[in-house]
């Protein structure tokens, strides 16, 4: 039990690494919280720093979720496979409420994707394809993120892994909740669209 708690703490710390903030400050002398949406996530990194740093931040945020989810495997912990999801969830919490950035983080899309990548790669690929197709036609990262999260929930049902389904449902609900301001901007026609796809 103590080891599980320790791994959850490590997962939270991993998730708390503010990739966009650090990349922006170290390489571009910019605090991305002062620009765009003010969010620390990958989308605002694309918007403020550009495509290449945005890709780097996205990959880093995905890896946070993936590494955190695989912690029980790395430490050879003899527990149910579902405990991987537990540590993954703590990485999502860390990303959204990071201890290194005054508990104001991103919207957890990329980190959640990293959790899914580690636990169910097939689901990650399916959700990624849906995200890319939606982004191609809508040009809205926020809308595409919500569509991908909802689609991941629907697709996960066919796995008959009900713990996975429950976790994906919670993640999808959380992602949609975090995007409420974006939904309002889309309705008003004020949500910015991407120009690089």
């Amino acid at each position: 039990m103590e080891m599980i708690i320790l791994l959850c703490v490590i997962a939270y710390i991993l998730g708390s690494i503010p990739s966009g903030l650090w990349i922006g400050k170290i390489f571009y002398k910019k605090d991305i919280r002062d620009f765009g949406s003010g969010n620390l996530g990958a989308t605002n990194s694309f918007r403020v720093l550009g495509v290449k740093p945005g890709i780097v931040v996205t990959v880093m945020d995905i890896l946070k979720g993936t590494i955190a989810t695989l912690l029980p495997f790395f430490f050879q912990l003899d527990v149910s496979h579902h405990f991987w999801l537990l540590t993954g969830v703590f990485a999502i919490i860390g990303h959204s409420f990071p201890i290194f950035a005054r508990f104001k983080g991103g919207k957890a899309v990329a980190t959640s994707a990293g959790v899914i990548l580690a636990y169910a790669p097939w689901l990650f690929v399916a959700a990624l394809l849906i995200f890319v197709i939606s982004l191609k036609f809508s040009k809205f990262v926020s809308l595409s993120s919500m569509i991908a999260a909802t689609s991941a929930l629907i697709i996960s049902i066919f796995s008959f892994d009900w713990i996975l389904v429950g976790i994906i449902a919670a993640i999808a609900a959380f992602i949609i909740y975090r995007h409420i301001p974006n939904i309002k901007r889309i309705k008003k026609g004020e949500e910015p669209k991407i120009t690089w796809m």
Side-chain angles (χ1 to χ4, degrees):
M1 186 63 181
E2 291 82 2
M3 181 58 75
I4 293 173
I5 294 172
L6 175 61
L7 294 188
C8 287
V9 171
I10 294 173
Y12 170 78
I13 293 171
L14 278 173
S16 287
I17 295 173
S19 311
L21 179 63
W22 288 359
I23 293 292
K25 282 192 170 185
I26 294 171
F27 296 102
Y28 297 89
K29 309 305 178 186
K30 285 184 178 181
D31 186 332
I32 64 172
R33 294 172 296 185
D34 296 332
F35 303 91
S37 66
N39 192 271
L40 278 181
T43 301
N44 203 39
S45 297
F46 272 98
R47 194 175 293 141
V48 176
L49 304 177
V51 175
K52 289 182 179 179
I55 291 173
V56 172
V57 172
T58 301
V59 171
M60 289 178 68
D61 285 350
I62 289 173
L63 287 176
K64 290 191 304 187
T66 301
I67 293 170
T69 305
L70 292 174
L71 283 175
F73 171 75
F74 293 145
F75 281 83
Q76 298 182 330
L77 205 60
D78 186 20
V79 294
S80 165
H81 192 208
H82 292 117
F83 276 96
W84 293 20
L85 290 171
L86 177 63
T87 51
V89 165
F90 272 86
I92 293 171
I93 294 171
H95 177 81
S96 303
F97 309 101
I99 194 171
F100 301 125
R102 300 178 181 177
F103 302 101
K104 294 181 180 180
K107 295 178 180 176
V109 176
T111 303
S112 297
V115 173
I116 296 173
L117 173 61
Y119 186 87
W122 57 273
L123 183 57
F124 170 85
V125 172
L128 178 61
L129 287 174
I130 291 169
F131 173 83
V132 171
I133 293 170
S134 175
L135 188 60
K136 176 69 175 178
F137 287 99
S138 74
K139 307 301 182 184
F140 290 123
V141 175
S142 55
L143 178 62
S144 300
S145 298
M146 291 184 282
I147 289 173
T150 304
S151 299
L153 172 59
I154 295 170
I155 295 169
S156 70
I157 293 173
F158 296 97
S159 71
F160 301 105
D161 182 341
W162 303 117
I163 293 179
L164 172 64
V165 173
I167 294 295
I168 297 296
I171 289 173
F174 183 67
I175 286 174
I176 292 171
Y177 170 75
R178 297 280 281 182
H179 280 87
I180 288 176
N182 303 83
I183 295 171
K184 292 178 179 178
R185 286 196 295 269
I186 289 173
K187 288 181 177 179
K188 293 179 181 178
E190 298 173 351
E191 180 77 348
K193 293 184 177 182
I194 63 167
T195 58
W196 45 269
M197 178 182 279

